[in-house]
Amino acid sequence: MTKRWTLAFDADDTLWQNETFFRGTQAHFETLMAPFCAPEHLEQRLIAAERRNVARYGYGIKGFVLSMIETAVEVSEQRVSADVIHELLTMGKDMLVHPIDLLPGVEEVIKQFHGQADLIIITKGDLMDQERKVAQSGLGDYFDDIQIVSEKTAEVYQRIFAKHDTARAMMIGNSLKSDILPALEAGVWATYIPHDLTWALEQAAEPENHHRFHRLVSMGELPELIERLS
């Protein structure tokens, strides 16, 4: 690379698996609540609760568990048992200690860019949980900066990238809503690497004909993209 890039990576479902664990827990939740509610209706009620609560609880496992409990109380008309509530809390605790599963090609690409570009993690969610995941991923030492934020907005990206050359700055992630659209608004490059599973609150339409937007199939394609843009 002829000029040094700043490459910022989302964490959950970009560097490592995340949503798959939420979906597994949600499937168990549906089984527990089957006496009270059909799975498709329960999913709608849970998403509505998460949408209401994200401003209060933020993103992550703790808010997810509280939203499940709230939904269980609502759909059961307060008849849900203490045993079920206890099971939901146990499921949440299990999620908080789940091993980190890096996505294919991630470690190789991060190692390739280490020392050649300024590397940043920009992730949102619970501070303690995100710090745990970074530490257990084994990737932390490759990054020059780790930013754990409550929300990803254009203003947040502008603040983080203010010390860098925005003409050579890129946000890479799996969420169009959080990683791509606000990064483009902030004036940096944005590269979308879709994940098979996307949380309902992170879904958005792809930008059309934006010269700083790129879509890749996998992380392994990123070095070629950067080389081409350089």
Side-chain angles (χ1 to χ4, degrees), residues 16-47:
W16 50 70
Q17 296 283 5
N18 183 67
E19 184 65 17
T20 183
F21 306 133
F22 279 77
R23 296 294 178 94
T25 300
Q26 187 171 327
H28 191 184
F29 178 47
E30 291 171 357
T31 299
L32 291 172
M33 298 306 298
F36 303 106
C37 190
E40 60 274 11
H41 182 57
L42 184 69
E43 181 180 17
Q44 294 173 1
R45 296 290 292 271
L46 177 58
I47 291 172

Side-chain angles (χ1 to χ4, degrees), residues 6-177:
T6 298
L7 302 178
F9 296 82
D10 170 52
D12 295 335
D13 294 320
T14 297
L15 299 179
W16 50 70
Q17 296 283 5
N18 183 67
E19 184 65 17
T20 183
F21 306 133
F22 279 77
R23 296 294 178 94
T25 300
Q26 187 171 327
H28 191 184
F29 178 47
E30 291 171 357
T31 299
L32 291 172
M33 298 306 298
F36 303 106
C37 190
E40 60 274 11
H41 182 57
L42 184 69
E43 181 180 17
Q44 294 173 1
R45 296 290 292 271
L46 177 58
I47 291 172
E50 290 179 292
R51 199 179 300 277
R52 291 195 305 270
N53 291 333
V54 70
R56 298 184 180 92
Y57 305 145
Y59 297 91
I61 293 168
K62 295 172 186 176
F64 176 59
V65 172
L66 288 170
S67 292
M68 283 197 298
I69 292 173
E70 179 179 320
T71 302
V73 171
E74 288 179 349
V75 301
S76 70
E77 297 179 338
Q78 301 184 22
R79 290 176 290 131
V80 65
S81 69
D83 287 342
V84 170
I85 300 299
H86 181 265
E87 180 69 14
L88 296 178
L89 291 171
T90 300
M91 289 157 56
K93 291 176 182 178
D94 289 343
M95 291 177 72
L96 286 168
V97 296
H98 199 286
I100 298 302
D101 182 13
L102 294 179
L103 287 163
V106 164
E107 186 171 11
E108 294 79 4
V109 168
I110 297 302
K111 286 182 177 179
Q112 180 175 342
F113 281 120
H114 178 58
Q116 304 300 314
D118 294 325
L119 302 182
I120 306 173
I121 289 177
I122 304 178
T123 183
K124 64 184 180 182
D126 179 79
L127 177 63
M128 291 180 62
D129 190 35
Q130 295 303 86
E131 287 180 336
R132 172 191 68 86
K133 287 190 266 189
V134 171
Q136 292 185 2
S137 72
L139 299 177
D141 290 342
Y142 294 111
F143 285 88
D144 303 287
D145 191 13
I146 297 171
Q147 296 279 338
I148 301 173
V149 300
S150 58
E151 189 63 89
K152 291 178 176 178
T153 64
E155 290 75 21
V156 167
Y157 285 123
Q158 287 169 346
R159 173 181 61 79
I160 294 173
F161 288 116
K163 300 177 182 179
H164 304 270
D165 177 8
T166 55
R168 287 287 188 275
M170 177 182 290
M171 181 65 195
I172 301 108
N174 72 294
S175 170
L176 288 162
K177 178 179 180 292

